Structure formats: C-alpha cells, structure tokens
C-alpha cells in the first residue's frame, strides 16, 4: 500500500484564484484512491471554508470601521454644537484611531474657524472610511458568492454521484 498524492487546482473556487488542494489517500499502486468526484467535493468544500474564514475576517474589519465612523460622526457633531469638554481626548482619538494628521487639527476648538478646521479634517476622514467600508462590502459580497458557488458545486456533485450510484445499482438488479 502506498499513499498517493493528488493535487487539484481550485482556481475556479479559490478566493485568490491560485490555491490548490493536496488530497492524500490510502490506496494501492495503480489507483484505488479517491475518485474524481470525491476530490471535486473536497476542493469545493475547502474553497468554501477559505471563503468563510475570509468573510469572518472581513466582517470583523467592517464592524471596527463602522464603530470608528460612528465615533467620528459623534465627535464632529459635538464640535459643531460646541459641546466638546475634553478636546485633547478627542484629538487623541482622531489622530491615533482614525489616523488624522495632528497638523490638520487645531490646538483647540475655542473659535468658530478652529471648529470648522476640525470638522473639515473629520469630514475628509469620514469620506475615506466610508469609501473603505463600501469596498469592503463589495469584497464581502464577492466572498459570499464564491462560498455559495463552492457549496452549490459540492452539493450538485454529491447529488450527481448519488444518482449515478442509484442507476448503477438498478442496472445490477
């Protein structure tokens, strides 16, 4: 008995289009390992699992981005309404969490023009974050579609194998 190694490209289903799956089977020389149908199902399920994993990561990133957008909007509203009690804490959040350059923010928000300067800097960052969120949503939808295709392919393959086995058994009777 030897271990046979089969490699099947998963390009049709893999999220990055270049993955392959190594399938190991215990079979005799000459080939009683996994069938092509079994390998196809395994590749489809592996691709679905990869898409699922990447989808979870993408959703976590989007949740974090949404929380930052909400905080930034709240800070912008407070600045506009002149309700900022601790500008240094807000400024620290804007620079460290959102990545706004400290040079773009005023030292204080004690005048109308300084509040406008801070609001403009936040608006620019909110626009960037919104665009990133939209791109992430498209990426997530693509991953979900690929996952669904992979599950559908494996399901169809199982159905086809079952039908074929039923027909084969009926022919024997």
């Amino acid at each position: 008995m030897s271990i046979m190694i089969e490699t099947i490209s998963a390009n049709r289903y893999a999220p990055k289009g270049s993955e392959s799956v190594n399938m190991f089977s215990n079979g005799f020389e000459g080939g009683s390992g996994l069938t092509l149908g079994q390998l196809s199902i395994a590749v489809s399920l592996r691709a679905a699992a990869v898409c699922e994993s990447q989808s979870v990561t993408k959703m976590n990133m989007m949740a974090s981005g949404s929380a930052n957008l909400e905080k930034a909007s709240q800070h912008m509203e407070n600045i506009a309404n002149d309700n900022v009690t601790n500008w240094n804490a807000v400024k620290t959040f804007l620079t460290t969490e959102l990545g706004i350059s400290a040079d773009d923010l005023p030292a204080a928000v004690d005048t109308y023009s300084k509040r406008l300067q801070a609001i403009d800097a936040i608006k620019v960052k909110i626009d960037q974050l919104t665009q990133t969120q939209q791109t992430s949503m498209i990426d997530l939808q693509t991953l979900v579609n690929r996952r669904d295709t992979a599950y559908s392919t494996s399901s169809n393959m199982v159905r086809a194998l079952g039908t074929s086995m039923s027909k084969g058994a009926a022919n024997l009777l």
Side-chain angles (χ1 to χ4, degrees):
M1 184 184 292
S2 67
I3 295 181
M4 295 182 299
I5 301 173
E6 297 287 338
T7 301
I8 289 190
S9 175
N11 288 346
R12 180 171 176 196
Y13 309 107
K16 295 189 178 163
S18 63
E19 295 186 11
S20 63
V21 177
N22 289 325
M23 300 302 299
F24 299 93
S25 63
N26 293 328
F28 295 101
E29 300 263 7
S32 65
L34 296 175
T35 66
L36 182 58
Q38 291 169 324
L39 287 171
S40 297
I41 292 166
V43 168
S44 295
L45 292 176
R46 167 74 169 96
V50 168
C51 289
E52 193 74 38
S53 171
Q54 290 179 354
S55 295
V56 168
T57 301
K58 185 68 70 175
M59 284 188 284
N60 290 338
M61 278 180 22
M62 290 177 63
S64 173
S66 293
N68 281 341
L69 273 170
E70 189 175 321
K71 287 179 189 174
S73 295
Q74 185 61 47
H75 286 309
M76 190 168 70
E77 183 179 325
N78 288 340
I79 292 167
N81 294 330
D82 199 19
N83 290 335
V84 177
T85 55
N86 187 351
W87 171 243
N88 287 332
V90 172
K91 189 174 180 181
T92 299
F93 168 79
L94 295 173
T95 56
T96 59
E97 296 296 320
L98 293 185
I100 297 175
S101 172
D103 296 337
D104 294 338
L105 297 170
V109 287
D110 51 359
T111 65
Y112 179 75
S113 63
K114 290 179 182 179
R115 285 197 307 273
L116 282 180
Q117 179 186 354
I119 289 170
D120 287 341
I122 296 170
K123 279 183 183 179
V124 167
K125 193 54 157 180
I126 285 176
D127 288 344
Q128 290 171 352
L129 288 173
T130 301
Q131 185 175 5
T132 300
Q133 288 290 92
Q134 289 171 347
T135 302
S136 294
M137 183 57 77
I138 292 168
D139 292 345
L140 178 62
Q141 186 61 49
T142 300
L143 286 169
V144 168
N145 289 342
R146 287 182 180 162
R147 181 206 60 197
D148 291 347
T149 299
Y151 279 135
S152 177
T153 300
S154 64
S155 175
N156 291 342
M157 186 64 70
V158 167
R159 189 177 307 115
L161 288 173
T163 302
S164 182
M165 288 169 60
S166 295
K167 286 180 183 178
N171 287 339
L172 291 175
L173 298 175

